Structures are given as C-alpha cells and as structure tokens.
C-alpha cells in the first residue's frame, strides 16, 4: 500500500488544526450557561423543585438527541428506558439499598441492558418501521409493568421509597435543593461525556450514518454495530434520568411509561433543535416553562396546547422559529456556536 | 502467480424476469487501468453495486485479490481494500470536506469505535486530510459546508473520499457525469495521477476519457460482456461498433 | 371456545373497518395519520349524542356516524393535511400526534371524560343459540355490516373506474397524473371515505370497545398494527391481519389474562423485525 503521503502546505495545515481545536473549545456562552445553572439555588431558591424537573427532562432529552439528532434514528418509545431506569432505581431503593448513587448505577446498567437488547430491533427498516417498533416496545413494557403490579405497584405506583443521603452526607430536603444539585451534577457529567463522545471519531461516524447510510457503509462504517452502541448509550442516559426522577420524587408509577412521555419528548428535542447537544437542554427549559405557565391557566387541558404547539410547529412554525434563531445566532455567533459538539 | 486485483466468475443478477447481469466473468489485473463501457441500461452500475456489496448477486462469485467476497458486507469490502465513487454524488450534507475526509481516514485507521478519543489526537490525520484536499483541489473550500460547494468540487470530493480510503482496488462510477467540459481535464489529470499500484476500474460514457485512460476495456451490453481487450482491439471490434452504432440507428 | 373465536372475528372485522381508511391513506398518500382514531371517536360520539339527546334509534344514527366524520375529514384534508404530504414520516407522526392531543383534550372538555354508554335496541340484544353455541346478536350484526362494507369496498376498488384510478394513483402518482387522473380529488375523496368508515366503526364499537375521550390514543396502536402487519397494498392484507389480531387479542386476554395486550404488541414487534414491509405485503 503505497499511497504517497504528501505534506500539505503549512498554511493549510494550520487552518485545519485551528478549525478542529476551535470546535472543541468551550464557548463563553456555554460557560455562562453552566455557571448560571450552578448558581440557581442562590438565584431562584424557591424554584428548586421545578428546576429539578427541568434538569431531569434535559437529561432525558439529551438521551433522545443522541439517537435522533446524531444518528438519525427515530423513536416513539424512548420512555421505555426512562421507565426502566425509574423502576430499577425505585425497586433497588425499596428492597436493597437506599443509597442514591448506587441506585443510579444500577438503574443505568439496567436501562443500558434493555437498550442493548432492543437495539437489534431498530437496525432494519424505514423511519416508519422504527417508529412503530419503538412504540410497540414501550407499550410492551407498560403492559408488563401493569401486569406485574405486585412488584411494580401497578397504577398506584411504588410507594414508600425513602432515599438515603447523597454521598452519605446530604439528605434530600423538602425544598428540593439537594435534589436539584444532584440532578444537575448528573446532567453535567453525562453532558461532558456526550460532548466528548460526539466529538470523537465514533460521533463523526454517527453523523455519517444519519446523513447517508449508503455512503457511510461505502466508507467502511459498520453501521449496525454503531447503532447498537449509540442506542445502548442513549438508553443508559434515559435510565439515569429515570433514576433521578424516582429518587428525587421518591415515587415511581406507570405514568413514567406512558405514551405522552415519549411524544412530549419528541417535541422537546425538536423545539431546541436536534443534532446539537444544547438543543435538548434548551428545549427542556422552554417546554417546562411553557408547561408550568399553561398548567396554571388550564390544569386539566394543557395537553391541548402541547398538541397545538406540535401541529403549528410542524406545519411551519419550525421554519419560522429556526429562522429567528439563526438570525439572532448570527448576532451572538461568538457566544454559542451551532457546530459546537 | 498473484491473483488478479478483482475478479468475477459467472456473475448473474436477476430482478424478477429481467436478467440484469448475464454470466459476467471479468478480470481486473493488479495495477490495471481497466474501463467498463456500454450503452445506457447495459447494467454497468448494477455490476458495480454487486462488486461493492450493495446488491446481492443471484449466482456467481466475486474475488478480491483471490479472496471470496461474494457475501461480504460493503463495509467489510472497504476494509479489504476496495473503494468506490458513486454516479450520483453521495456526500454527507451536514459536513465539510474536512469532516468527510477525516471520517474516511478515521475508519481506515480503525478509530471508528473510539468514542472517547479526540477526533484528531495526534494531528496526523488532519495533515493527511489537508494533503488529500490539496491534491484534489479542495483546499480552498476545505472548511465550507458541503451543501455550498459547486458541483465540480462536490465531484472532486466524491473521488477524494474514495481515494482517502487508500484502496487497492478503486471503482469509479462515471466520475465525469455532470462535470462541465472545461473541468473534465482536471478530472482526467486526477484519474491519471492515481498511484500505479492501485487497480482502477473506470465506468464511463466519455470515450475521450476512456481511451486516454484505459489499457484494457470491457464492453457490456444488456448485462452481457460482448468484448474484452486492448483499446485498439475494442475500437476495431465489429460487434462493439454494432452495439453502439446500432443503438444510434434505432434511436 | 367457538364463542371466543366468534367474538374474535367480530372484533377483527370491526378493527378492519376502523383501520381500512388508515391502510388506504398510508398506501395511497404515504401519509402516516395517527389521528385516524379521532375520526372513529367522532362517529362514536355522533351516535351517542343523537341517541341520548335526540332519541334517534341506534341504526338510524349510523349513516350520520359515517357522514359527519367524512365531512370533517374532507375539510381537514383540504386545509391542514395537504401541506403535510411532502414532509417526512417523522413530521407527519408528530403532526398527527399533536392533532390527537388537541382532539382528546377538546372532547374531554365538551363531552366529559366518562365512558359513554348506549342502550342497544331490543332486537340487537342477547344471543341466538345455534347448536349449543351462544352467538351474540349484536356481534352478528356487526359482522354482517362489516362483511357488507368489505365486499362493497373490494367491489369499488376492483370493479369501478374510481377504484382503478385509485389503484393507479397508489402505484405511481406521477404516472397517474400524467394519465390525466385528478389525484388531488382522489386523495380528498378517499380520505373522506376512510374517515367516514372509521366513524362508522367507532359508532359500531361503542358497545364492543367502549367510548371515552382517550379512544384515539388507546386504539391508535391497534390500527397501526393492522396496517403494518397487513401491508399497505390492497385490502386483503389488512383484512387478514385484522382478523388475526382480533382473534389473538380476544383469545389471549381470555386464556392468559396476565399477559393482556402484551401478545399483540409482541406480535407486532416480531413481524416488523422479521418482515418490515408487513406479513401480507406485495413486494413493490
């Protein structure tokens, strides 16, 4: 094999090197963002419970973004892994050990295993097939959880979970401060990991699979293996979100496996923009704020407005919104780059 | 005696009642500059798709450097040293040429599963990508989104990506398709510049390109090989002329 | 056991009528309409309202249960569905889910969230006894209507000009247009009829399936299963699939209640995995 390795001219080498390192660097906007989230207990001490929910939803959205935004795999049943993680963590705390971090690890492993096993079902087929298969799996798990109500508590849910203090030091307080900081920390750590993974050769190959599977395999990418990997990772992330949910609210019910969880999540990810790690996080913030506002006005029928939002968004709202965003982003270009991993 | 670079033995492909590939036995020698020509609909791309693993043949065998790859997946064949370009550009719309070349290089260096590593840990890959970009006249657009590139540059990228895989066997499917006359020179130069030990199978309609490039030509009509030999022999072959002239007479 | 088979067949046929519109829309317009169940629900509520508030006899409400959803379908198709045809399947799914959410909430608000109950006319209540097997009268009625509709549908599809135009448009839209077939009108008509059939099915189903605002969500998956397992081309695939699902679901719930609807979902996932284009699909 003797393809001549010419040396490129120095200016080009420089340019290329700079482009790559620029992408990796933390932008000012990102630093400010995470700084604000860390300072939230001081800035919004009474909103801790809501912010905890936002953090958990953000993590859940991040997990869907990994498969949807980065690998192009659609799923209408991502709540499967949220539920798997939640029940695993809840049952673990009830029957084995109430330490949060141990429970988190157990839940992540359980969800990852489930993700790994079901990943083979989404390898083949069109978008429509995948939507149906993932929906079917979520419904399957729901029925299973419903049927084995002696273990899962059925519609009433798992009662009586009492979490031990975090790291043995910080008990979960009623205002939700520990809960929020716990969820935020997990979100941040997993975000860092995702950032690194999506900026790696593996992440690049995922985007290739998303953009053009034919070309990807013609380039030597073993598509099936990569999909299994990213699907398992995404399931693990969703499982973590589920565990956080179970542990910080000390309650798990069938609601965690309901269809609207997966459907709402889709909206969250596409509002913020799929394929961009901050998309899920921003979408989660917007969604929760919206949900909170709407629920105050019409507590019973807020799904109506969510539905309306979905319809409007898909009918043309997305283009308008993203057009607006693009223009303001051009202005704020230096703060948060769209191509940031 | 070393095995030929690429060989098909009695390759057949049927689509329902249609025989798209009819008992094709093709041999591409090491270091070949081999062209595959034929009228439209002759089944050239179908043949390439079988060679690369996108389509499964109905019968027959395919050997890459003596190794049977008839049932191997496309990605496996790439790893064994086969690379191709597509007739219609197949690029990654969200990427830049740099991204795409890096992707190819990462896969070549078995980094595809490294999810914890930086994209260009040592800087070597970036340099190699830059070198390839320069060679294919893509250096001025290396960081631009692929969607903004003019067609000619996209075509260059298509070939550059196949080349970056350091193939031992390269299949070029109508590289000049859609490329304006003025830029075909560049293309010819690129193709002529390919290293001597890379075996190339060129599928083309542009006879100028074919006769300047090839040392051996195979003619495919209706999925059947009707002639195989040196350019001079092919030019003089009555069956070939009938196939081409017959085509234009009927039209 | 034969009673269960009979019930399963009745259920399956009802599912077929309910899902037939979805099968044709998916096959014809390549449009995934998860809101299909909403039209079924509309038909159910038309019957309920007519019976409860205006004392209209059950059978007399059925034509309205067809017409009202058909009309709504025609209007919606022309207005908000049209722009969605060109979009990706994912967008279509999100769009129709959004519609479902809206409809479910709206119906809950207007009609209340309780299960709707109707009193069947006396001649439809009870059962015949044939050779010692109890055959429900209502279920026989449902089967009869569904068989009649299926035959009518098949006739229209195979033997009328409209049917052949429809099949041409399904096979290849562009060519059909080129042949002068007004594809837009065909879409609208088909969508309307499909919605109407769903409405009729919903009305027939009040007694067998129940009716409350969550109907579209509850049964969405069943319609999808019929269409995915049955394949999108023609009616025989979905018909067979619907019967299969009806029998399996009823039998499953009777013999293995612990697993409930589990069986159906597992069946769907298995079929999609092994044959993504559907069990009975004709390869294109």
């Amino acid at each position: 094999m003797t393809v001549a390795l010419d040396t490129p001219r120095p200016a080009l080498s420089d340019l290329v090197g700079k482009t790559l390192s620029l992408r990796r660097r933390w932008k000012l906007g990102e630093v400010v963002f995470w700084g604000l989230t860390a300072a939230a207990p001081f800035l919004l001490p009474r909103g801790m419970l809501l912010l905890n929910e936002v953090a958990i939803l953000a993590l859940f959205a991040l997990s869907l973004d990994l498969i949807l935004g980065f690998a192009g795999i659609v799923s209408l049943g991502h709540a499967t892994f949220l539920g798997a993680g939640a029940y695993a963590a809840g049952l673990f705390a009830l029957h084995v050990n109430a330490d949060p971090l141990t429970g988190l690890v157990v839940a992540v492993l359980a969800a990852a295993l489930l993700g790994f096993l079901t990943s083979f079902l989404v390898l083949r087929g069109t978008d429509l097939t995948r939507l149906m298969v993932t929906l079917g799996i979520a419904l399957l798990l729901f029925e299973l959880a419903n049927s084995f109500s002696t273990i899962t508590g059925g519609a009433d849910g798992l009662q009586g979970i009492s979490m031990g203090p975090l790291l043995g030091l910080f008990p979960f307080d009623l205002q939700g401060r520990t809960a929020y900081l716990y969820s935020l920390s997990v979100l941040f750590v997993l975000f860092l990991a995702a950032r690194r993974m999506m900026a790696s050769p593996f992440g690049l190959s995922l985007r290739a699979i998303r953009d053009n599977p034919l070309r990807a395999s013609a380039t030597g990418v073993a598509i099936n293996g990569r999909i299994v990997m990213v699907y398992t990772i995404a399931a693990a992330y969703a499982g973590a979100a589920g565990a956080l949910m179970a542990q910080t609210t000390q309650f798990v019910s069938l609601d965690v496996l309901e269809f609207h969880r997966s459907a709402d999540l889709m909206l969250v990810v596409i509002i913020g923009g799929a394929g961009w790690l901050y998309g899920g996080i921003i979408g989660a913030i917007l969604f929760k704020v919206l949900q909170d506002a709407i629920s105050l006005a019409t507590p019973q029928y807020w799904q109506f407005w969510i539905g309306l939002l979905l319809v409007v968004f898909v009918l043309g709202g997305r283009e308008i919104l993203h057009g607006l965003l693009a223009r303001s982003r051009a202005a704020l270009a230096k703060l948060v780059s769209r191509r940031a991993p | 005696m070393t095995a030929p670079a690429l060989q098909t033995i009695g390759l057949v492909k049927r689509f329902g009642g249609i025989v798209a590939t009819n008992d094709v036995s093709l041999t591409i020698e090491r270091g070949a500059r081999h062209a595959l020509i034929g009228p439209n609909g002759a089944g050239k791309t179908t043949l390439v798709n079988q060679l690369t693993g996108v389509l499964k043949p109905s019968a027959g065998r395919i050997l890459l450097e003596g190794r049977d790859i008839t049932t191997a997946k496309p990605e496996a064949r790439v790893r064994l040293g086969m690379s191709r370009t597509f007739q219609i550009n197949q690029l990654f719309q969200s990427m830049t040429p740099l991204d795409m070349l890096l992707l190819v290089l990462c896969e070549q260096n078995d980094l595809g599963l490294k999810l914890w590593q930086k994209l260009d840990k040592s800087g070597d890959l970036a340099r190699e990508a830059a070198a390839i970009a320069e060679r294919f006249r893509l250096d001025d657009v290396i960081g631009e989104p692929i969607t903004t590139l003019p067609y000619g540059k996209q075509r260059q990228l298509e070939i550059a990506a196949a080349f970056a895989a350091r193939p031992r066997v390269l299949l070029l499917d109508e590289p000049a398709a859609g490329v304006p006359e003025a830029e075909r020179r560049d293309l010819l130069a690129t193709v002529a510049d390919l290293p001597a030990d890379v075996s190339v199978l060129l599928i083309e309609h542009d006879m100028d390109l074919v006769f300047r490039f090839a040392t051996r030509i195979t003619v495919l009509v209706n999925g059947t090989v009707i002639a195989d030999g040196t350019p001079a022999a092919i030019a003089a072959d009555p069956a070939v002329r009938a196939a081409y002239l017959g085509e234009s007479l009927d039209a | 056991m034969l009673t269960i088979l009979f019930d399963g067949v009745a259920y399956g046929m009802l599912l077929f009528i309910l899902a037939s519109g979805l099968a044709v829309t998916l096959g014809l317009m390549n449009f995934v309409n998860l809101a299909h169940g909403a039209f079924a629900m509309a038909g159910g509520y038309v019957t309920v309202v007519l019976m409860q508030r205006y004392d209209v006899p059950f059978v007399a409400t059925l034509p309205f249960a067809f017409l009202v959803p058909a009309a709504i379908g025609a209007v919606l198709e022309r207005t908000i569905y049209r722009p969605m045809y060109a979009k990706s399947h994912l967008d279509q799914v999100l769009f129709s889910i959004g519609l479902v959410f809206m409809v479910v909430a709206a119906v809950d608000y207007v009609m209340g969230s309780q299960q709707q109950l109707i009193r069947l006319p006396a001649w439809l209540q009870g059962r015949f006894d044939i050779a010692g097997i109890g055959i429900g009268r209502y279920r026989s009625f449902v089967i009869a209507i569904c068989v009649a509709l299926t035959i009518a549908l098949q006739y229209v599809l195979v033997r009328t000009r409209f049917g052949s135009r429809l099949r041409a448009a399904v096979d290849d839209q562009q060519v059909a247009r080129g042949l002068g077939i007004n594809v837009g009108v065909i879409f609208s008509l088909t969508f309307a009829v499909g919605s109407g059939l769903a409405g009729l099915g919903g009305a027939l189903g009040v007694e067998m399936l129940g009716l409350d605002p969550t109907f579209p969500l509850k049964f969405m998956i069943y319609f999808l299963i019929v269409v995915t397992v049955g394949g999108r081309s023609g009616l025989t695939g979905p018909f067979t699939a619907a019967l299969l699902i009806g029998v399996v679901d009823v039998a499953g719930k009777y013999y293995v209640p612990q697993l409930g609807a589990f069986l159906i979902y597992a069946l769907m996932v298995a079929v999609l995995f092994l044959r993504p284009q559907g069990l009975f699909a004709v390869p294109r």
Side-chain angles (χ1 to χ4, degrees):
Chain A
M1 195 232 61
T2 56
V3 169
L5 279 180
D6 345 279
T7 16
R9 63 175 199 280
L12 188 64
S13 263
D14 272 349
L15 175 67
V16 164
K18 269 211 192 100
T19 312
L20 289 176
S21 60
L22 201 67
R23 273 196 221 159
R24 277 195 293 265
R25 252 212 329 232
W26 281 81
K27 310 294 179 301
L28 180 63
E30 295 182 76
V31 175
V32 168
F33 173 75
W34 291 105
L36 282 174
T37 60
F42 305 105
L43 300 172
L44 296 164
R46 272 183 299 220
M48 291 288 97
L49 288 172
L50 178 64
L51 285 176
N52 179 46
E53 284 179 29
V54 175
I56 293 174
L57 183 61
L59 180 57
F60 191 32
L62 180 61
S63 82
L64 181 65
D65 205 7
L66 290 177
I67 53 170
L68 180 67
F70 285 91
I73 302 172
V74 293
S75 169
L76 258 187
H78 209 56
T80 307
F81 309 113
L82 184 75
Y87 274 106
L91 289 168
F92 187 78
L94 259 183
H95 300 294
V96 183
N97 184 321
D99 176 53
L101 286 176
T102 326
L104 179 66
V105 170
V106 167
V108 165
L109 289 174
L113 179 64
L114 188 61
F116 177 74
L117 292 172
T118 52
S119 66
F120 298 98
L121 299 168
V122 297
L123 290 179
R124 287 204 289 170
T126 59
D127 271 2
L128 185 58
T129 318
R130 281 176 173 162
L131 286 166
M132 302 239 14
V133 166
T134 50
L135 179 62
I137 295 170
L139 285 166
L140 259 174
L141 199 66
F142 183 93
E143 285 300 320
L144 270 178
N146 198 11
S147 296
F148 291 96
S149 50
T150 39
I151 303 178
T152 61
D156 292 327
L158 280 179
Q159 314 269 1
I161 302 174
S162 180
M163 298 306 303
L166 183 60
L167 293 173
L169 295 170
F170 309 104
F172 284 99
D173 57 302
L174 282 171
Q175 289 92 346
R177 197 163 186 233
T178 316
Y180 171 67
L181 289 171
Y182 175 41
S183 299
L184 181 67
S185 313
V186 173
L187 171 66
F188 186 62
V189 166
L190 289 178
F191 173 83
L192 286 178
R195 194 175 199 273
R196 196 173 171 130
M197 286 192 280
M198 292 305 118
S200 72
F202 171 74
L204 187 58
S205 71
L206 289 180
R207 281 159 56 203
I209 294 172
R210 177 196 66 197
D211 282 354
N212 194 330
L214 178 65
R215 194 26 144 164
S217 76
T219 308
V221 174
I223 296 184
N224 288 351
R226 308 289 159 95
I227 293 183
V228 169
M229 272 177 78
V230 74
Y231 202 76
T232 308
I233 295 172
Y237 271 50
L244 288 174
M245 197 182 272
Q247 293 176 341
T248 55
T249 60
Q250 316 216 29
F251 179 69
V252 187
S253 80
L254 286 177
D255 175 73
V256 82
L257 287 166
E258 285 220 1
F259 173 68
H260 78 85
R261 289 243 180 228
S262 301
D264 290 347
L265 187 68
M266 280 290 220
L267 179 63
V268 168
V269 171
I270 61 175
I271 288 183
W276 175 47
L277 286 178
Y278 283 98
I281 298 177
I282 301 219
I285 296 174
L286 287 174
F287 183 83
K288 270 291 172 190
V289 165
L290 218 69
Q291 183 185 36
D292 213 46
I294 296 176
S295 299
L296 279 173
T298 58
Q300 218 182 337
Y301 305 109
W302 72 277
Q303 279 284 50
F304 175 86
W305 302 102
I306 299 295
L308 183 61
L309 199 66
L310 261 173
V311 170
V312 166
F313 198 77
V314 176
L315 268 179
R318 178 203 268 129
E319 282 78 34
I320 299 174
L321 185 67
H322 287 172
L324 275 172
L325 274 176
R327 263 170 291 176
S328 46
R329 198 177 291 132
L332 296 167
K334 285 187 211 115
L335 290 183
V336 179
S337 161
R338 220 231 180 248
R339 290 211 230 125
Chain B
M1 208 200 71
T2 46
L6 186 60
Q7 195 180 13
T8 71
I9 301 173
L11 205 63
V12 179
K13 180 64 186 171
R14 281 178 222 107
F15 290 107
I18 301 171
V19 181
T21 306
N22 187 7
D23 198 30
V24 168
S25 294
L26 180 67
T27 303
I28 297 159
E29 301 294 344
R30 302 238 179 181
R33 294 289 181 263
H34 198 132
L36 179 67
I37 64 174
N40 267 325
K44 305 189 289 293
T45 300
T46 308
L47 182 61
V48 172
N49 282 339
Q50 289 172 77
L51 291 173
T52 51
V54 174
L55 279 179
K56 209 174 100 163
S58 310
R61 290 165 65 209
I62 305 170
L63 301 168
L64 178 66
E65 292 177 338
R67 194 201 206 116
D68 191 321
I69 57 164
T70 318
T71 50
K73 277 196 180 160
E75 46 261 30
R77 300 182 198 206
V78 174
R79 290 193 179 279
L80 289 171
M82 188 194 281
S83 191
R84 75 171 287 180
T85 64
F86 289 85
Q87 193 179 346
I88 301 172
N89 279 337
Q90 299 287 345
L91 303 171
F92 301 118
Q93 300 305 319
S94 73
M95 295 192 189
T96 63
L98 177 61
D99 289 328
M100 191 160 168
L101 292 172
L102 276 175
L103 173 75
V104 178
L105 293 171
C106 282
E107 293 302 322
Q108 275 306 110
N109 286 289
D110 270 321
L111 296 175
L113 289 174
K114 300 259 183 252
L115 40 65
W116 205 243
Q117 203 179 49
K118 287 203 185 112
L119 189 53
D120 180 35
K121 201 164 144 186
S122 54
D124 283 341
L125 293 182
R127 266 191 291 279
E128 202 178 326
I132 295 173
E134 232 182 339
R135 180 190 257 240
F136 286 86
R137 290 158 267 265
L138 292 166
D139 44 312
D140 49 337
V141 292
I142 196 170
E144 302 298 315
I146 288 177
T147 46
T148 62
L149 295 181
Y151 188 82
K153 293 273 183 190
Q154 288 191 3
R155 210 86 187 102
Q156 290 281 83
L157 179 58
E158 177 78 25
I159 301 173
F163 173 81
R166 302 188 209 129
R168 289 198 291 284
V169 177
L170 180 60
L171 307 174
L172 299 169
D173 194 349
E174 295 194 41
V179 175
E181 198 58 52
E183 291 171 43
R184 288 200 180 194
R185 283 248 154 152
D186 272 355
L187 200 80
L188 182 56
T190 303
V191 170
D193 265 348
L194 292 168
D197 58 344
V198 175
S199 318
V200 181
L201 177 64
L202 172 73
I203 297 163
E204 247 315 324
H205 273 302
D206 182 340
M207 287 305 148
D208 205 34
L209 197 63
V210 169
F211 278 88
R212 276 202 230 185
F213 165 82
T215 55
R216 194 162 182 89
I217 300 179
T218 301
V219 185
L220 195 71
V221 178
N222 284 333
T224 318
V225 174
I226 64 163
D228 186 312
T230 61
I234 295 295
D237 188 326
V240 173
R241 280 156 118 195
Y244 274 96
L245 284 176
E247 270 265 312
S248 54
L249 274 179
D250 283 347
Chain C
M1 193 200 82
L2 279 172
T3 322
I4 294 182
L5 187 66
F6 182 76
D7 282 352
V9 167
Y11 180 41
M13 299 220 57
L14 187 59
L15 265 183
F16 170 68
I17 293 297
L18 280 165
S20 58
L22 183 62
V24 181
T25 327
L26 188 55
L28 173 63
M29 287 104 103
N30 201 20
F31 185 87
V32 187
N33 182 21
L34 294 188
H36 185 74
F39 294 101
M41 180 173 71
Y45 274 103
V46 163
T47 293
V48 164
V49 167
L50 284 176
M51 282 182 75
Q52 285 178 355
R53 292 198 200 165
Y54 302 100
D55 279 329
V56 178
F58 174 68
V59 178
T61 65
L62 294 180
F64 294 99
F66 177 90
L67 288 169
V68 172
I72 299 176
V75 170
L76 286 181
E77 193 271 340
R78 286 251 149 197
T79 50
I80 55 176
Y81 273 85
R82 280 263 151 124
M84 294 303 303
Y85 291 159
K87 304 217 182 201
S88 67
H89 275 170
L90 178 62
D91 277 357
Q92 292 171 358
V93 164
L94 294 175
F95 168 77
S96 44
I97 289 177
L99 273 182
V100 172
F101 282 173
M102 287 173 70
V103 169
V104 167
V107 169
D108 191 323
Y109 181 71
V110 172
M111 300 296 304
S113 57
Q114 71 279 19
Q115 274 284 337
Q116 297 291 344
L117 302 165
I118 55 170
R119 269 182 73 82
L120 292 173
W123 62 279
L124 279 178
Q125 291 181 24
R127 28 194 13 200
F128 312 104
D129 252 302
I130 300 183
I133 307 163
I135 309 265
R137 283 187 191 222
Y138 186 66
R139 281 172 173 67
S140 316
F141 174 70
V142 168
I143 291 181
I145 294 204
C146 290
V147 166
L149 280 172
T150 310
I151 294 177
L153 275 175
Q154 190 67 355
Y155 179 82
V156 167
L157 206 58
V158 173
R159 287 194 180 270
T160 62
R161 279 245 301 264
F162 178 77
S164 55
R165 288 201 182 124
L166 178 61
R167 279 179 294 135
V170 171
D171 266 348
D172 195 324
Q173 253 188 62
Q174 283 205 342
V175 172
R177 266 185 239 262
L179 287 173
I181 295 176
N182 192 332
V183 173
V185 168
I186 292 189
F187 279 10
S188 301
L189 258 171
T190 314
F191 193 87
V193 171
S195 310
L197 282 173
L200 183 56
L204 289 172
V206 178
E207 174 66 20
M208 280 171 65
L209 307 172
L211 181 69
D212 66 24
T214 64
F215 183 93
L217 286 169
K218 265 199 294 204
F219 286 93
M220 169 177 75
I221 186 68
Y222 283 90
F223 307 149
L224 288 174
I225 295 177
V226 168
V227 171
T228 35
V229 169
R232 317 178 188 179
S233 33
L235 290 176
T236 29
F239 183 77
T240 324
L243 278 180
L244 180 70
I245 289 163
V247 172
V248 170
D249 198 40
V250 171
K253 284 187 174 136
Y254 183 78
Y255 289 115
V256 208
Q258 180 79 339
L259 291 178
F262 186 95
L263 270 170
I264 291 298
Y265 304 145
L267 176 72
M268 175 181 83
V269 172
V271 169
L272 281 173
F273 178 63
L274 295 168
R275 280 182 65 112
Q277 71 276 21
L279 266 181
F280 305 102
V282 171
R284 292 235 175 162

